[in-house]
Amino acid sequence: MVEHLTSPSNPTLKRLRSLHEKKFRRADGRFLAEGLRIVAEALEAGIVPEVLVFGAESARHPLVERLVAATEGGGGSAIETNADMLGKLTGKDNPQAVVGVFRQNPTPLARLDRSTAKIWIVCQSLKDPGNLGTILRTGDAVGAGGVILLDDSCDPYSTEAVRASMGAIFTQSLTITDGPSFFNWIRRASGGFVAGAALTGAVDYRSVAFPAPTFVLMGNEQAGLPASYADQCDALVKLPMLGKADSLNVAVATAVLLYEVLGQHAAQARAQLPNIA
């Protein structure tokens, strides 16, 4: 049964509003995804919200009806409310018509199967949630296995990161760990090639051969990659800067590197095809 909630003092809505804060997300183990498109992307990935909140004016939208049925069919709760309550829930004057509440589901490093993809993304102390969301989205575009967050990185389940991911939060594996644990893991028997983005000691990214699986390692937006981490990479790469700027946005740089790796892997696959005259 769809619940109808319109009171700002309703304890359910108040509890959901608290998920905008990291400490409450961590304690609750859930996060908010705002917007019909993003919630629908989750459903396409086979992930059903635990709670679905939607505006009364969108209740008859076919996709909203499908989401309500899927949420209730999965044992979740569907809540119909008004625009004012949606605004209070999202903190926006013009709120999205749908908000989904999902369970956080990071993959422990020990359970990460590196053989499932040829490309992986590793971010060290990434601070901007918008950058992280964009990197997740790009990872989805190139068929990456997922993103591994090292050290004191921003929360991938923040509203800003989820929004910027455009649904890739549901298609990309997420692992949260620290640098030493990652390098210990990567050097085990099955291995992997680590390409770190750096300036010192780095070569043009187009001059490096990237075997599979390749782990593209990006450093902090301001400080870059720590020297101790750079020393453990199989290759250090950089992008040529021909103008006055001395660096690119980390999400943009990540995208350039990922497409180079993708292009090389595609060329390697073509080279292995039989030559049919």
Side-chain angles (χ1 to χ4, degrees):
M1 291 286 292
V2 173
E3 296 182 70
H4 297 266
L5 302 180
T6 57
S7 171
S9 61
N10 181 275
T12 297
L13 292 178
K14 290 175 69 175
R15 185 165 62 252
L16 296 183
R17 278 201 304 272
S18 72
L19 297 179
H20 283 288
E21 297 185 45
K22 183 177 180 179
K23 64 179 180 179
F24 291 114
R25 286 195 301 272
R26 181 173 294 175
D28 190 274
R30 299 184 296 176
F31 68 98
L32 299 173
E34 301 174 5
L36 182 57
R37 176 178 174 179
I38 291 180
V39 179
E41 289 283 349
L43 187 60
E44 289 300 316
I47 302 171
V48 178
E50 292 191 358
V51 181
L52 181 74
V53 185
F54 58 96
E57 69 283 353
S58 62
R60 299 306 176 195
H61 190 291
L63 187 48
V64 173
E65 291 182 334
R66 182 183 169 202
L67 287 168
V68 169
T71 301
E72 294 185 327
S77 302
I79 299 173
E80 181 181 308
T81 189
N82 55 39
D84 184 50
M85 290 303 98
L86 278 172
K88 287 182 168 57
L89 175 59
T90 62
K92 296 181 178 64
D93 293 331
N94 297 301
Q96 297 280 352
V98 172
V99 178
V101 181
F102 295 88
R103 180 65 49 184
Q104 298 180 23
N105 189 33
T107 303
L109 187 63
R111 285 177 32 208
L112 198 64
D113 184 356
R114 70 191 84 185
S115 69
T116 58
K118 295 181 178 181
I119 303 174
W120 296 84
I121 307 164
V122 189
C123 298
Q124 189 270 332
S125 292
L126 194 71
K127 297 301 183 185
D128 186 274
N131 283 335
L132 176 53
T134 302
I135 288 171
L136 282 164
R137 187 178 181 185
T138 307
D140 179 87
V142 301
V147 174
I148 302 171
L149 295 174
L150 306 184
D151 305 332
D152 188 25
S153 291
C154 61
D155 183 2
Y157 299 109
S158 69
T159 305
E160 295 85 355
V162 172
R163 183 187 306 117
S165 80
M166 294 298 289
I169 188 76
F170 301 110
T171 64
Q172 291 286 283
S173 165
L174 266 171
T175 297
I176 302 171
T177 186
D178 57 79
S181 296
F182 166 73
F183 282 108
N184 286 335
W185 174 82
I186 199 70
R187 297 311 175 200
R188 292 176 188 167
S190 49
F193 184 88
V194 181
L199 292 176
T200 305
V203 299
D204 190 301
Y205 73 103
R206 295 163 295 189
S207 68
V208 174
F210 299 103
T214 289
F215 291 77
V216 175
L217 173 57
M218 308 300 296
N220 171 264
E221 290 95 332
Q222 281 75 43
L225 203 59
S228 61
Y229 290 11
D231 290 343
Q232 298 181 73
C233 292
D234 296 297
L236 294 177
V237 297
K238 62 182 178 181
L239 278 64
M241 303 297 297
L242 306 182
K244 295 186 180 299
D246 61 359
S247 64
L248 285 174
N249 169 273
V250 66
V252 174
T254 303
V256 173
L257 293 176
L258 291 176
Y259 272 97
E260 174 65 20
V261 177
L262 178 65
Q264 287 196 22
H265 290 173
Q268 293 162 14
R270 288 193 298 270
Q272 294 172 3
L273 293 174
N275 187 9
I276 301 175

